[in-house]
């Protein structure tokens, strides 16, 4: 089937069937899809917290209290919940790790290629450091990964709910993310919708092509 | 084939075969994938400028001068280039358009449902207005669409290059984007790589799973 068919079928699930689990092999594929996501200068400025135990989901549900309580049942009833986090900085130690990984994976035929890659990436990081928007830049890359995940889940027949409506500070605190140089951004519930999901039967709505495309 | 297979196969193309065009039917599918991308509260805060004529690509190449000249050949030699833009604001008129589209598409069984949707979306917009980050919020949604596009292109066997290395201000000026409430963000070349693309044969590199996942 074509990717556009999956895009047409998918929708934001509002209620999950707590009795249904996503096969671990499918979850592993979706995690691999996140890990392989492209990012600017291969910066990979992200981290993914994956909960599929009752205890793990209860911890993530601490980010769905008060004004965000409407998302709590999704977190608790979904099969898996992935909290997408972004790096707050890309410091020299982190950049050295990425470079070494690229070397280990065989991307540099010689030292010159390695140096070129390091200089290119560093210049982008310095550009964004100058703009003061490294966290914003990192968050955009993490959303790119989110797009990959949502289409991939649809292709695997897995229902999903991206949730910006979470208490990011509470989750940063609960998971000790700041100490890891991370901040939480958006959670994604994965599973299978319940019969009570009103959104399952509603038609998708998008602005028409003439509103969103300009052809040159 | 599985989405993860496409993710493994895809890579950032560095040089295009200018003699090869992507079939319009495939391009249309990829545009539909962009149009159908999910976004927070269905805000769809994006616009896509698509160039596939020589004149159109020459206009986008005005954003690849000076320090960005390394991206000029990709823009000129690719089959199609899509400039992804984000909305700078989500004003009342825009929100009314989205709401009306949802009504036209049959998402509201009654006025109460319509009002609930309007209030939910407006409260998110006001939240981000209060945070002063509406453009940033919109840009994240546009990157979600970018992730969708890149995986979709891979699934269709189309090579792609996301390019943050463009002169966004020059493109905003060239295309009159500010007057439309838009700003350019990232360009994506689509086509088929040339024999001279050094990156085609290099192995993909990503940080290992134990670095990017935490399991709860």
């Amino acid at each position: 089937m074509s990717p556009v068919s999956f895009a047409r079928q998918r929708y934001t699930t509002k209620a999950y069937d707590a009795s249904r689990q996503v096969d671990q092999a499918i979850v592993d594929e979706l995690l691999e899809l996140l890990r392989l996501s492209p990012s600017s200068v291969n910066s990979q400025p992200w981290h993914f917290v994956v909960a599929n135990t009752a205890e793990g989901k209860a911890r993530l549900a601490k980010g769905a209290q008060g004004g965000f309580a409407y998302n709590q049942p999704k977190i608790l009833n979904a099969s898996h919940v992935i909290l997408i986090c972004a790096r707050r900085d890309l410091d020299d130690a982190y950049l050295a790790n990425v470079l070494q990984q690229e070397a280990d994976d065989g991307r540099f035929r010689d030292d010159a290629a390695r140096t070129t890659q390091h200089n290119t990436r560093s210049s982008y990081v310095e550009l964004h450091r100058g703009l003061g928007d490294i966290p914003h830049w990192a968050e955009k890359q993490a959303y790119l990964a989110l797009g990959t995940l949502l289409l991939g889940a649809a292709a695997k027949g897995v229902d999903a709910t991206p949730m910006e409506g979470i208490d990011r500070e509470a989750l940063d605190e609960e998971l000790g993310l700041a100490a890891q140089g991370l901040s939480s951004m958006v959670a994604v519930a994965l599973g299978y919708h319940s019969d009570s999901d009103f959104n399952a039967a509603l038609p998708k709505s998008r602005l028409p092509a003439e509103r969103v495309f300009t052809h040159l």
Side-chain angles (χ1 to χ4, degrees), chain A residues 31-163:
Chain A
L31 296 183
E32 185 68 353
L33 208 49
L34 284 171
R35 192 180 74 87
L36 294 177
S37 285
S39 55
S40 180
V41 292
N42 203 25
S43 53
Q44 307 168 67
W46 45 48
H47 193 86
F48 309 102
V49 179
V50 185
N52 85 313
T53 62
E55 296 75 17
K57 287 184 273 187
R59 290 184 70 187
L60 293 190
K62 292 183 182 174
Q65 298 179 331
F68 302 111
Y70 62 95
N71 275 327
Q72 200 171 81
K74 302 184 194 95
I75 292 172
L76 296 175
N77 294 334
S79 168
H80 291 66
V81 183
I82 301 175
L83 181 66
I84 299 182
C85 307
R87 299 193 71 86
R88 304 320 290 167
D89 194 15
L90 301 172
D91 61 17
D92 289 346
Y94 178 76
L95 296 178
N97 274 333
V98 172
L99 191 71
Q100 187 57 47
Q101 185 67 47
E102 290 171 336
D104 293 348
D105 287 334
R107 283 191 61 84
F108 307 131
R109 65 175 179 277
D110 54 29
D111 281 350
R114 179 182 176 127
T115 299
T116 298
Q117 171 69 353
H118 176 69
N119 290 345
T120 300
R121 187 158 43 228
S122 295
S123 71
Y124 265 79
V125 171
E126 286 313 308
L127 172 72
H128 286 283
R129 199 178 301 286
L131 293 169
D133 78 343
I134 285 187
H136 177 185
W137 184 45
E139 290 179 10
K140 289 191 293 187
Q141 313 307 319
Y143 265 70
L144 198 166
L146 170 61
T148 304
L149 173 64
L150 294 177
L151 185 59
K156 302 302 289 184
V158 174
D159 289 330
T161 314
M163 294 174 283

